[in-house]
Amino acid sequence: MRSVEEHLEAVLAGIHELPPFQQQLMDAHGCTLCEDVEAGVDLPAFDNSAMDGYAVRREDVANASETHPVVLPVVGDLPAGGREAHALVPGMALRIMTGAAMPHGADTVIPVEWTDGGVVKVSVNQAPTDRSYIRRRGEEVRTGQLLVRSGTHLDSRQLALIASVGRDVVRVRPRPRVVVLSTGSELREPGQPLGEGAIYDANSFALAAAAREAGAVAYRVGCVSDDEREFLRVLEDQLVRADLVVTSGGVSVGAYDVVKQVLSRLGTVEFSRVAMQPGMPQGFGVVGEDQTPIFTLPGNPVSSYVSFQVFVRPALRKMLGLTPHVTPTVTATATEGWRSPEGRRQYTRVTYSLDDDGRALVAPVGGSGSHLVAGLAQANALAVVPEDVREVAEGATLDVVLLDGSAERA
């Protein structure tokens, strides 16, 4: 058997970053930026009011108080987005809205809460403080300033910043298109009659959803029977829209393991036994004229899901240009013990939590069987037990892969 590291190294050596291209801003959401984005304008682009209130000269209201309010004529309104230029005459006030351009001659905005809200004349009952309630041009961003570095994974916050300086297109690495299919004549689509000896397909749903969670565009093909010609036909049909293919089932040593039988003849996919539990039978290689990468994962639901997290997710991170390629881990303390097979790295389904003192804790959930989907659904992390550990003791410290996306922030 090869080690987890050896198989992952072979996988990542066969995966390449997708070439970048220009994308509209919303389409770039979740993608990796492939250029530095600089500001083309100042932020703010002009001096503007930070409050709804009145634009005044500070000296005109310097002595205002509740007992001795200052009354000023209101000579106009300044709405946000107004195009006309205005100038303020000494001893006057202009009613101004948040975001409206400051008139020439005004150096302070009096919040409406400090006044009687008048529209013909206004009574100011509080003197200006050190704040002028004016957003000055360029106080946040100057033209030419670096805003977002190449290599950034674009989320809603970066999109807001890029849009605020007028950029509508950016150069990004696109989301990988992942085709997911399950093999097995016993599989049925949810919603169909089950029949004797049949089971509902869960793997393709889990793997397609996991691919989406990893930042890919997922196409779930569904169930393919244990027929070599059908499998090959479906695979060839799907390659036109795939940057990567993920199959589950048919990779062991059984008489009807169609995936292994078909792809072994191509000579471009290597099938290996990896020293891990669950997920020992693994396959990886390329198919088709475009040499599309393909992962052939085991058929048991937990095995296929764990295999995705250990091998496919790092591959998708590399295609997206994310580093590190391997999903970051955290450490946690086991609240109870369990057994682990010697010589194989165990990925134990656990619940991860923080106690009142902020200590990270994990507890095993469900049984050890690789068919136990209910336990997998309850887990929010995988505890990584080294190959030389046969017994995890209560209080042991373990590396943990978080399944809720928290580790992806690293």
Side-chain angles (χ1 to χ4, degrees):
M1 288 191 291
R2 61 167 43 169
S3 69
V4 171
E5 285 80 9
E6 289 170 340
H7 189 65
L8 182 57
E9 182 179 355
V11 164
L12 292 179
I15 294 292
H16 305 286
E17 295 179 345
L18 295 179
F21 62 92
Q22 298 282 59
Q23 284 268 48
Q24 292 292 321
L25 209 51
M26 278 306 300
D27 294 331
H29 180 226
C31 297
T32 303
L33 186 65
C34 295
E35 62 172 328
D36 289 340
V37 174
E38 298 179 349
V41 296
D42 291 338
L43 285 184
F46 51 87
D47 292 353
N48 67 87
S49 176
M51 302 285 287
D52 290 337
Y54 298 85
V56 299
R57 295 195 314 160
R58 180 182 293 265
E59 63 186 79
D60 289 339
V61 292
N63 298 318
S65 67
E66 289 190 10
T67 56
H68 294 89
V70 172
V71 179
L72 300 174
V74 178
V75 295
D77 284 350
L78 300 177
R83 296 175 177 269
E84 295 182 12
H86 290 267
L88 182 67
V89 177
M92 304 291 181
L94 282 163
R95 196 164 63 148
I96 193 167
M97 307 304 143
T98 302
M102 288 297 296
H104 178 72
D107 58 9
T108 297
V109 172
I110 298 297
V112 69
E113 294 83 0
W114 298 2
T115 75
D116 65 353
V119 295
V120 176
K121 60 181 179 179
V122 61
S123 179
V124 179
N125 53 38
Q126 185 173 329
T129 61
D130 291 339
R131 293 185 60 187
S132 64
Y133 295 103
I134 298 173
R135 302 165 179 160
R136 298 295 181 184
R137 176 175 179 170
E139 69 179 18
E140 182 181 13
V141 170
R142 289 288 187 183
T143 300
Q145 180 178 333
L146 176 63
L147 298 182
V148 188
R149 293 186 181 278
S150 178
T152 300
H153 192 58
L154 295 177
D155 63 18
S156 54
R157 297 163 297 170
Q158 283 84 45
L159 293 187
L161 178 58
I162 295 170
S164 70
V165 296
R167 286 286 297 271
D168 64 334
V169 173
V170 288
R171 186 173 175 81
V172 297
R173 209 172 301 282
R175 297 172 180 270
R177 299 167 300 164
V178 178
V179 168
V180 177
L181 57 92
S182 297
T183 63
S185 296
E186 76 281 12
L187 299 178
R188 299 291 183 273
E189 289 287 327
Q192 293 182 348
L194 196 55
E196 189 69 28
I199 61 173
Y200 287 123
D201 171 38
N203 287 3
S204 64
F205 289 92
L207 296 174
R212 288 182 182 177
E213 291 166 358
V217 176
Y219 301 107
R220 177 189 166 270
V221 176
C223 311
V224 181
S225 69
D226 291 321
D227 178 272
E228 292 188 13
R229 285 179 295 183
E230 181 186 359
F231 171 73
L232 195 55
R233 176 186 61 77
V234 172
L235 180 60
E236 290 175 343
D237 287 347
Q238 293 298 319
L239 288 179
V240 68
R241 63 172 179 175
D243 296 310
L244 185 146
V245 176
V246 179
T247 72
S248 66
V251 294
S252 192
V253 292
Y256 296 96
D257 285 328
V258 62
V259 174
K260 190 172 184 179
Q261 292 170 8
V262 170
L263 297 183
S264 292
R265 291 197 292 269
L266 297 181
T268 58
V269 178
E270 180 180 5
F271 293 90
S272 308
R273 297 170 70 240
V274 179
M276 63 185 290
Q277 184 197 54
M280 182 174 64
Q282 299 287 334
F284 175 76
V286 295
V287 290
E289 293 182 1
D290 295 330
Q291 302 287 284
T292 303
I294 184 170
F295 286 87
T296 63
L297 308 183
N300 280 317
V302 179
S303 297
S304 65
Y305 180 81
V306 170
S307 299
F308 181 97
Q309 297 297 329
V310 177
F311 301 120
V312 184
R313 181 179 286 271
L316 291 176
R317 288 179 65 88
K318 183 172 182 180
M319 295 176 84
L320 285 163
L322 298 176
T323 56
H325 303 318
V326 179
T327 305
T329 61
V330 298
T331 58
T333 301
T335 60
E336 59 183 275
W338 66 87
R339 296 186 63 80
S340 181
E342 186 176 12
R344 285 196 279 173
R345 183 173 303 177
Q346 186 184 60
Y347 292 87
T348 306
R349 287 146 279 171
V350 294
T351 55
Y352 171 91
S353 61
L354 300 177
D355 65 12
D356 293 339
D357 297 323
R359 287 192 311 152
L361 305 175
V362 289
V365 58
S368 60
S370 56
H371 63 292
L372 301 175
V373 184
L376 177 63
Q378 297 172 37
N380 63 358
L382 298 174
V384 184
V385 184
E387 291 86 342
D388 59 352
V389 175
R390 298 183 61 183
E391 190 91 28
V392 176
E394 179 181 344
T397 299
L398 298 169
D399 288 335
V400 176
V401 178
L402 301 182
L403 301 178
D404 61 3
S406 299
E408 293 299 294
R409 302 190 191 106

